Amino acid sequence: MIKEHEIIELINYIKDNLWLGDYQKAKELINGLSENIDFEEYMTSLDEARSSFIKLKEELGETSKLKDKLVISDRFKQMTRERELSRKAIVGLLMSELEKLSKGLLVTGPSSEIIRRDTYRYKLYEYPPNKYEIRALTDEKLKYDAQGLIENLEEKGYKLLPIGKERYMYILAFSLESYIEIVALPPKLVIEISLLTPNSEKAQELGELILDFLSRERV
Amino acid sequence: MSFVSSMNIARSLAIFKYDVPLSLQNLSSGMNWTINIIDDVLKQRNIRHINTLHLYPRLLEFYNIGYTEKWIRRIDENFLEYDSGVKPIINVPRQRLPANFKYLYIKSFSGDVSGMIAESLFIYFLYSLGVKINGIGHLRPHKRGRSSFFPDYAIWDTSKAIALVLSVNNYSLPILAEVKGSTSTASRRELAQRLVKALIQLNYFISEPDQCGLVFLLCKKPTYEGIFFEVLP
């Protein structure tokens, strides 16, 4: 039986895939989730909580007074406690969002231009004339080797600015020909590249070099 | 080409905790109770510095994309103006207006922007405590209408990282949280009203003795500070 915190983690991972633009993976995850949990049970709890709330509001009327609001919230709390609803209603609410996404995904086409490597997937966005953004999802278990990347970029002639490299990472690197901003909050990573001379292959090459470094397993 | 823009400069945000846990049972005392709490906060009574977040605004955008309610992009750029208090001026014609009419000349920050900044900062704060943020879900996607009784966040803090800053450490999950932001210096009454609103939101769901909630209030006094309240049944 999948636990509630695992459901939330999975929902967030689905959202990460939507951010990347990997709709196929998002669909697979949503389908997998629906097969492994009693979706109906959570949605019924959400519906019950909502109807209790609506019923109370109808009984007590719309109000802006603090005292009246307090009466509504106290009565609601009592009703949901009696039926042990609140916790399941909360998970149900989060899942109701997925239901909408799932319907939306039915009308989207296949994911385009997702480039897959062993430990990461990414998509390259071009902002003409000379800006590029790489969005990547990396294997969550990997620890980023920020120091290795910094040394490598310095060897290639880049200047680097002070960085954040704790549980998140923030690196700025620039040379006469390019400016790179790397922001990572595992498993999400964004690389923004501005090139003096527009060249998407060069941007992709730089992006992969960075991603290869950051997705190496530490020995 | 501009290589280094001002948006890359790290800013900081001091986070304080109001040291007295707020019991929802006191809500029946009404506004006076929360006004006293806000007075304490404004006069630095019963508050303790917890952390100073070193903010990379660009990183804030990640929290915005993944964890806030509304779709507003580049919160990092908004944050710098928000933080410095710069308000853009719009064009004002030279022609005089009829009596009782006034031109608008300063743009205000949208409440949505300040709300998303406050929510992003809250997630930033939780992350700094060591909370696994993939266990956080934003509630209330249908804020307008029938289901407005859910608070902002449900936090499955399985590693109990939040216990570091709470008076209790044996709480059931999820922890529920409500976030309130403000675009300018709010009066004590306005802040107290926001606090009451947040507490009522939590009061729908916090009833068992092992439950706990959080309120995160971002306020300007005169620099922005995050005040964090522990809420008990």
Side-chain angles (χ1 to χ4, degrees):
Chain A
M1 184 70 180
I2 188 165
K3 290 178 182 161
E4 281 160 348
H5 73 89
E6 291 168 337
I7 298 174
I8 308 311
E9 285 167 10
L10 204 48
I11 290 174
N12 280 325
Y13 190 52
I14 290 165
K15 287 184 186 168
D16 287 347
N17 276 280
L18 291 170
W19 165 81
L20 179 69
D22 197 341
Y23 304 130
Q24 192 53 42
K25 180 75 178 172
K27 277 181 203 173
E28 285 168 22
L29 290 165
I30 292 174
N31 292 338
L33 184 63
S34 330
E35 282 165 16
N36 285 304
I37 54 163
D38 190 348
F39 196 73
E40 281 305 312
E41 188 189 356
Y42 289 104
M43 297 316 286
T44 307
S45 299
L46 175 61
D47 286 343
E48 277 188 44
R50 276 184 175 151
S51 353
S52 305
F53 180 69
I54 293 163
K55 201 176 150 194
L56 274 174
K57 277 209 142 181
E58 281 169 358
E59 266 177 41
L60 302 166
E62 285 289 336
T63 179
S64 56
K65 284 183 185 166
L66 171 63
K67 271 187 182 173
D68 298 339
K69 281 185 171 178
L70 199 55
V71 171
I72 295 177
S73 64
D74 280 341
R75 292 262 306 266
F76 175 80
K77 194 159 59 173
Q78 206 180 344
M79 286 170 90
T80 52
R81 185 166 43 180
E82 279 163 9
R83 298 182 208 166
E84 293 180 349
L85 274 180
S86 59
R87 194 183 155 101
K88 282 188 176 165
I90 284 167
V91 180
L93 182 61
L94 291 163
M95 288 198 302
S96 69
E97 204 182 340
L98 273 192
E99 200 182 14
K100 280 186 191 166
L101 284 176
S102 180
K103 282 177 189 161
L105 282 172
L106 288 176
V107 293
T108 57
S111 310
S112 60
E113 299 166 30
I114 300 288
I115 299 159
R116 293 162 204 278
R117 299 285 181 257
D118 284 348
T119 49
Y120 59 86
R121 285 170 287 145
Y122 74 93
K123 190 168 178 175
L124 177 75
Y125 293 84
E126 294 189 31
Y127 299 96
N130 63 342
K131 285 189 176 176
Y132 306 88
E133 179 186 333
I134 288 171
R135 288 186 194 178
L137 272 184
T138 59
D139 185 336
E140 214 170 342
K141 288 169 194 155
L142 297 177
K143 288 194 172 168
Y144 292 161
D145 179 11
Q147 198 50 43
L149 174 67
I150 290 163
E151 284 163 15
N152 187 278
L153 288 173
E154 279 175 343
E155 276 171 25
K156 288 185 168 26
Y158 281 90
K159 299 284 177 199
L160 287 118
L161 279 188
I163 52 166
K165 49 173 185 172
E166 294 144 39
R167 289 164 62 221
Y168 55 81
M169 198 181 64
Y170 185 75
I171 297 179
L172 295 178
F174 53 96
S175 68
L176 288 175
E177 292 178 343
S178 55
Y179 166 61
I180 307 171
E181 194 175 353
I182 306 161
V183 197
L185 188 68
K188 283 191 280 201
L189 193 143
V190 167
I191 304 166
E192 287 183 352
I193 300 170
S194 297
L195 297 175
L196 197 59
T197 314
N199 184 338
S200 61
E201 285 80 21
K202 172 81 179 163
Q204 191 166 353
E205 193 185 303
L206 270 169
E208 287 214 15
L209 179 140
I210 293 163
L211 283 163
D212 283 340
F213 248 98
L214 293 180
S215 58
R216 275 203 283 197
E217 260 186 282
R218 278 183 172 175
V219 184
Chain B
M1 188 194 296
S2 160
F3 279 108
V4 184
S5 67
S6 60
M7 64 177 275
N8 298 318
I9 298 165
R11 299 291 174 107
S12 58
L13 178 83
I15 308 282
F16 296 87
K17 185 192 173 197
Y18 186 67
D19 250 346
V20 185
L22 309 187
S23 166
L24 289 169
Q25 288 172 21
N26 291 335
L27 262 177
S28 53
S29 319
M31 281 286 289
N32 287 342
W33 174 53
T34 49
I35 284 179
N36 288 338
I37 295 166
I38 294 299
D39 277 346
D40 277 357
V41 168
L42 296 175
K43 289 174 184 166
Q44 310 268 322
R45 286 191 304 242
N46 291 326
I47 66 168
R48 164 167 66 101
H49 177 252
I50 292 188
N51 197 355
T52 295
L53 298 180
H54 296 287
L55 301 170
Y56 292 99
R58 190 64 185 83
L59 199 64
L60 207 59
E61 181 66 5
F62 266 113
Y63 302 113
N64 174 42
I65 290 168
Y67 295 93
T68 66
E69 184 184 342
K70 297 200 174 128
W71 185 235
I72 294 166
R73 291 297 309 271
R74 299 315 305 237
I75 215 81
D76 49 341
E77 290 179 7
N78 281 294
F79 173 72
L80 290 168
E81 286 178 336
Y82 179 82
D83 184 47
S84 60
V86 172
K87 287 189 176 177
I89 293 169
I90 59 171
N91 185 54
V92 175
R94 296 177 71 179
Q95 284 81 2
R96 283 186 173 214
L97 283 169
N100 300 326
F101 282 80
K102 279 182 182 172
Y103 285 118
L104 174 78
Y105 65 98
I106 293 179
K107 276 181 193 273
S108 300
F109 259 106
S110 154
D112 282 348
V113 174
S114 64
M116 297 315 96
I117 287 175
E119 289 188 356
S120 305
L121 289 169
F122 175 61
I123 305 296
Y124 208 131
F125 166 59
L126 293 181
Y127 189 74
S128 75
L129 291 177
V131 176
K132 287 181 184 166
I133 56 172
N134 61 359
I136 301 173
H138 198 297
L139 302 171
R140 255 193 327 180
H142 323 286
K143 197 170 182 178
R144 287 182 194 87
R146 293 176 163 184
S147 57
S148 59
F149 51 102
F150 286 100
D152 285 327
Y153 288 103
I155 306 161
W156 271 267
D157 174 31
T158 49
S159 54
K160 301 277 176 185
I162 302 177
L164 287 172
V165 289
L166 295 180
S167 65
V168 289
N169 56 20
N170 195 21
Y171 42 83
S172 67
L173 299 179
I175 293 179
L176 298 172
E178 183 68 19
V179 177
K180 297 284 176 205
S182 63
T183 48
S184 55
T185 313
S187 69
R188 60 198 269 272
R189 191 164 183 88
E190 285 167 332
L191 289 171
Q193 278 167 341
R194 271 171 215 165
L195 181 59
V196 161
K197 224 173 153 184
L199 293 171
I200 286 185
Q201 214 82 46
L202 293 174
N203 192 48
Y204 282 106
F205 290 94
I206 296 179
S207 53
E208 300 299 323
D210 64 343
Q211 279 186 290
C212 112
L214 308 175
V215 173
F216 185 75
L217 187 65
L218 187 68
C219 57
K220 197 167 189 181
K221 41 180 265 214
T223 54
Y224 278 102
E225 285 176 2
I227 316 290
F228 142 73
F229 300 90
E230 174 183 349
V231 181
L232 299 175

